[in-house]
Amino acid sequence: MSEADFAHLFVEHVDTLFSVVFGFASITSGFLAAAYLAAQSIQTSLVRVLICFYSVIDLALIGASQRLVATLVGIRTRLVMENADWHPVVTEPQSIFPIMGNAIVVAMAAIYVASLWYFFHVRNMSDSESAA
């Protein structure tokens, strides 16, 4: 592959990473809206299904993000080896891209855990309010 091919591959993977992150944001936003609006009225059996469904999708998206970041780091390494000094990612310090990519993955994992906490927090709040 030429350096132009690697540069194109890099851009395609960055676009895919953005799509995955925005998909994660959409799924999580929908889950949080459901938690806010209906957590107290959802039956326990449906809660289990909802949590499983949400977890599988979000964990798959987090895993895909991690895999894309690792691939992007590899493509960046190839661009450096090809001496593609014209590409902006080659001129950045080597540690910047892995740190930024891993920060995205860690943030997604933290948001996933926080959204689960929020769901059960809202559900427990409404249970305690109805008991009072």
Side-chain angles (χ1 to χ4, degrees):
M1 290 179 76
S2 70
E3 62 186 56
D5 292 332
F6 281 113
H8 179 71
L9 190 62
F10 185 85
V11 169
E12 290 295 321
H13 278 72
V14 168
D15 287 345
T16 304
L17 179 61
F18 278 119
S19 296
V20 168
V21 169
F22 287 124
F24 174 86
S26 296
I27 294 295
T28 302
S29 297
F31 180 74
L32 291 173
Y36 180 76
L37 297 172
Q40 66 275 8
S41 62
I42 300 174
Q43 295 176 351
T44 304
S45 58
L46 187 55
V47 166
R48 289 184 187 121
V49 171
L50 181 64
I51 295 298
C52 287
F53 181 72
Y54 172 68
S55 294
V56 166
I57 291 173
D58 260 16
L59 293 175
L61 291 172
I62 292 169
S65 295
Q66 189 280 327
R67 189 68 241 143
L68 283 165
V69 167
T71 302
L72 283 167
V73 169
I75 295 170
R76 182 206 180 273
T77 301
R78 286 301 302 254
L79 283 167
V80 170
M81 290 171 44
E82 295 286 331
N83 295 319
D85 295 333
W86 53 270
H87 197 281
V89 77
V90 173
T91 60
E92 295 173 351
Q94 184 176 357
S95 62
I96 294 294
F97 198 74
I99 289 171
M100 287 174 31
N102 290 327
I104 291 169
V105 173
V106 169
M108 288 171 73
I111 291 168
Y112 165 73
V113 171
S115 64
L116 287 176
W117 172 86
Y118 179 75
F119 180 87
F120 288 109
H121 173 72
V122 170
R123 190 165 169 84
N124 289 337
M125 266 183 41
S126 62
D127 286 345
S128 63
E129 288 174 2
S130 63

